[in-house]
């Protein structure tokens, strides 16, 4: 899975915000605020990776059990899929 092009992540006043750019600004009329982990995953999904890859990245970076990481990543992936943010 890979995030669609046409979205930019910016740090504004300490908050990680994703905004649509170009034609996506017409189709996706919203902003997404990401916490630290969400920002980490957003960056990871800039490449075509699997949920298994993301679990490995998260468990290597943060002190979290693999099962908990997988559950949280699957929720994040569902949110992105529901909003048509994957290629």
């Amino acid at each position: 899975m890979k995030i669609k092009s046409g979205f930019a992540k910016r740090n504004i006043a300490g908050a990680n915000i994703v905004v649509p750019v170009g034609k996506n600004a017409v189709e996706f009329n919203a902003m997404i605020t990401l916490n630290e982990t969400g920002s980490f995953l957003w960056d990871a999904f800039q490449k075509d990776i699997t949920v298994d890859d993301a679990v490995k990245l998260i468990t290597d970076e943060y002190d979290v059990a693999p099962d908990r990481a997988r559950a949280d990543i699957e929720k994040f992936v569902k949110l992105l899929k529901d909003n048509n943010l994957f290629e």
Side-chain angles (χ1 to χ4, degrees):
M1 291 173 287
K2 183 179 177 186
I3 300 287
K4 284 183 179 179
S5 61
F7 292 90
K9 184 182 84 169
R10 299 285 184 258
N11 188 288
I12 301 170
N16 292 304
I17 307 290
V18 174
V19 294
V21 295
K23 72 175 182 139
N24 286 329
V26 174
E27 297 171 8
F28 188 86
N29 191 10
M31 294 186 308
I32 301 169
T33 303
L34 300 171
N35 65 16
E36 179 183 341
T37 308
S39 179
F40 181 88
L41 287 170
W42 183 271
D43 292 343
F45 282 114
Q46 294 302 305
K47 299 176 190 164
D48 190 14
I49 66 169
T50 65
V51 169
D52 289 340
D53 296 331
V55 169
K56 172 88 169 97
L57 290 170
I58 286 288
T59 56
D60 286 350
E61 183 71 18
Y62 297 98
D63 183 23
V64 61
D67 290 345
R68 174 63 189 262
R70 179 173 301 281
D72 291 346
I73 290 166
E74 287 174 351
K75 285 180 191 175
F76 186 72
V77 165
K78 182 180 181 334
L79 174 72
L80 296 179
K81 283 182 177 178
D82 288 350
N83 287 284
N84 198 30
L85 295 176
F86 281 120
E87 290 184 343

